[in-house]
């Protein structure tokens, strides 16, 4: 309840998460049928990077601030276009003042038949999120602990969907909670695409987390990780990861194009690295950045 994403909006972790979310949405839209995005920890939806809170940390400067100014190759530009075009649409006069959280980004990319369910527990953040989508019949905003949504709100009535789980990681057992939450949700909605975010930092139980996920009876799990700096002497976030369950068949190849570019443009020291590999399914070969 103490976490406020405004301090971190647009940072390198947001870039990875939102770039992948945009790819998942575009893939779902290859079929005409409606789908729903369920965002369990939605935040306020739209962030003003000129605010006192965002300026206090300036994390966006090393994230989306660098990417928007980067010279990207043709293939990477095409893959990132849905994500970056939404940011440009929010900032028609140029620069980056406004940055979309995941519910706003999803809504901006929707077709008329697509729907959003967004959960937020923090009272002030819920109120702002609710105001942002007030009168929007494509969005349902609920003041709820997002962990509960993994049971009560699945499966969606559309029978197609993306479930984004991006908890604040304020508690020590969040990795275990994330694995158990996925297990519970998958039993209710095995056909859904799940995107789970987790932090990378010194001492984080990432290996144990991956082992918990591998022990689940889920056939296909893809992992993507981006590290922007060494964790030597660091206590904060040095990277972030995503677990994608039931990923599009194209996503692994897309990650192998996007991740090197994200690393090159957002690296904060020479220890920056990336990898994309199967936790379960396809093959389990870990493909690391050849320069890392």
């Amino acid at each position: 309840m103490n976490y406020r994403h405004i301090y971190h909006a647009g940072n390198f972790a947001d870039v990875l998460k939102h770039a992948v979310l945009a790819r998942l949405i575009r893939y779902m839209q290859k079929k005409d049928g409606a789908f729903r995005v369920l965002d369990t920890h939605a935040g306020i939806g739209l962030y003003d990077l000129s605010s006192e809170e965002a300026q206090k940390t300036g994390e966006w400067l090393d994230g989306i601030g660098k990417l928007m100014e980067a010279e990207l190759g043709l293939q990477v530009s095409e893959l990132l276009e849905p994500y970056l075009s939404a940011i440009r649409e929010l900032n028609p006069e140029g620069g980056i003042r406004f940055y979309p959280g995941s519910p706003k980004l999803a809504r901006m990319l929707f077709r008329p038949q697509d729907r959003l369910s967004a959960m937020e527990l923090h009272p002030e953040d819920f109120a702002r999120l609710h105001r942002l989508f007030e009168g929007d019949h494509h969005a349902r905003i609920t003041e709820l602990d997002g962990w509960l949504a993994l049971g009560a709100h699945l499966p969606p009535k559309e029978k197609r969907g993306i479930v984004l789980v991006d908890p604040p990681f304020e508690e020590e057992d969040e990795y275990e909670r994330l694995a158990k939450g996925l297990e519970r949700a998958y039993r209710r909605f095995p056909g859904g695409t799940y995107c789970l975010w987790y932090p990378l930092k010194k001492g984080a139980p990432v290996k144990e987390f991956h082992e918990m996920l591998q022990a689940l009876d889920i056939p296909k799990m893809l992992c993507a990780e981006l590290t922007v700096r060494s964790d030597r002497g660091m206590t904060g976030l040095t990277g972030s990861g995503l677990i994608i369950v039931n990923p599009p068949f194209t996503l692994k190849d897309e990650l192998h194009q996007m991740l090197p570019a994200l690393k090159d443009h957002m690296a904060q020291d020479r220890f920056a690295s990336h990898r994309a590999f199967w936790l379960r399914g396809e093959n389990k070969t870990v493909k690391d950045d050849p320069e890392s």
Side-chain angles (χ1 to χ4, degrees):
M1 291 291 292
N2 294 319
Y3 179 86
R4 307 301 295 274
H5 193 67
I6 183 59
Y7 292 100
H8 314 289
N11 69 0
F12 67 86
D14 263 4
V15 169
L16 174 63
K17 175 179 61 183
H18 292 148
V20 170
L21 176 62
R23 296 311 310 158
L24 296 177
I25 290 171
R26 284 292 182 250
Y27 185 81
M28 295 289 284
Q29 291 170 338
K30 289 181 179 295
K31 294 183 178 181
D32 291 336
F35 67 91
R36 184 172 295 270
V37 171
L38 175 66
D39 192 339
T40 63
H41 298 77
I44 64 175
L46 183 64
Y47 298 90
D48 184 348
L49 300 182
S50 69
S51 68
E52 181 180 350
E53 296 91 343
Q55 291 293 320
K56 185 176 180 178
T57 60
E59 289 186 17
W60 68 274
L61 294 168
D62 288 324
I64 191 59
K66 287 185 175 179
L67 191 64
M68 291 295 284
E69 298 176 354
E71 292 289 335
L72 302 169
L74 178 61
Q75 288 183 317
V76 175
S77 294
E78 290 178 349
L79 292 173
L80 293 176
E81 179 58 23
Y83 167 50
L84 297 182
S85 65
I87 298 171
R88 288 192 289 267
E89 183 179 338
L90 288 172
N91 298 277
E93 297 180 359
I96 313 170
R97 177 181 175 183
F98 296 107
Y99 183 82
S102 47
K104 179 65 174 177
L105 174 64
R107 182 65 185 91
M108 293 178 73
L109 297 178
F110 278 177
R111 305 164 300 176
Q113 64 266 46
D114 303 327
R115 296 293 185 267
L116 169 70
S117 290
M119 284 70 191
E120 177 54 48
L121 183 60
H122 194 290
E124 293 178 25
D125 288 357
F126 165 75
R128 294 181 65 176
L129 184 68
H130 188 270
R131 285 196 299 271
L132 179 66
F133 288 101
E134 191 169 7
D136 186 343
H137 299 296
H138 292 78
R140 183 172 66 183
I141 312 303
T142 307
E143 188 172 7
L144 181 71
D145 183 345
W147 295 112
L148 299 177
L150 294 176
H153 289 255
L154 293 175
K157 66 178 182 179
E158 294 83 3
K159 306 302 181 186
R160 301 178 66 223
I162 299 168
V163 181
L164 177 65
V165 188
D166 176 21
F169 279 84
E170 292 181 302
E171 306 295 334
E172 291 184 2
D173 66 345
E174 292 278 52
Y175 292 91
E176 182 179 1
R177 195 177 189 186
L178 190 54
K180 289 181 177 179
L182 172 62
E183 181 181 26
R184 183 172 68 255
Y186 187 83
R187 284 199 301 265
R188 295 181 63 90
F189 185 36
T193 295
Y194 295 82
C195 186
L196 317 178
W197 182 90
Y198 60 96
L200 299 175
K201 53 186 178 181
K202 189 172 184 177
V206 174
K207 181 175 182 293
E208 293 80 1
F209 174 56
H210 286 175
E211 290 172 350
M212 284 188 284
L213 293 173
Q214 288 171 328
L216 301 179
D217 188 21
I218 297 177
K220 288 190 176 183
M221 285 188 280
L222 182 63
C223 179
E225 292 184 343
L226 175 67
T227 300
V228 297
R229 60 177 179 262
S230 168
D231 64 5
R232 300 176 193 176
M234 295 292 299
T235 57
L237 194 70
T238 59
S240 71
L242 297 172
I243 302 295
I244 304 98
V245 174
N246 294 331
F249 74 95
T250 56
L251 185 60
K252 188 164 184 284
D253 287 340
E254 292 177 355
L255 286 169
H256 286 321
Q257 296 180 61
M258 292 191 298
L259 287 175
L262 297 182
K263 186 212 75 170
D264 288 346
H265 293 294
M266 297 190 295
Q268 297 180 20
D269 65 26
R270 64 186 180 89
F271 296 101
S273 64
H274 65 81
R275 59 179 185 165
F277 62 96
W278 290 100
L279 272 179
R280 289 199 62 174
E282 299 295 332
N283 62 74
K284 296 181 182 178
T285 302
V286 177
K287 183 175 179 62
D288 290 310
D289 176 6
E291 298 180 1
S292 65

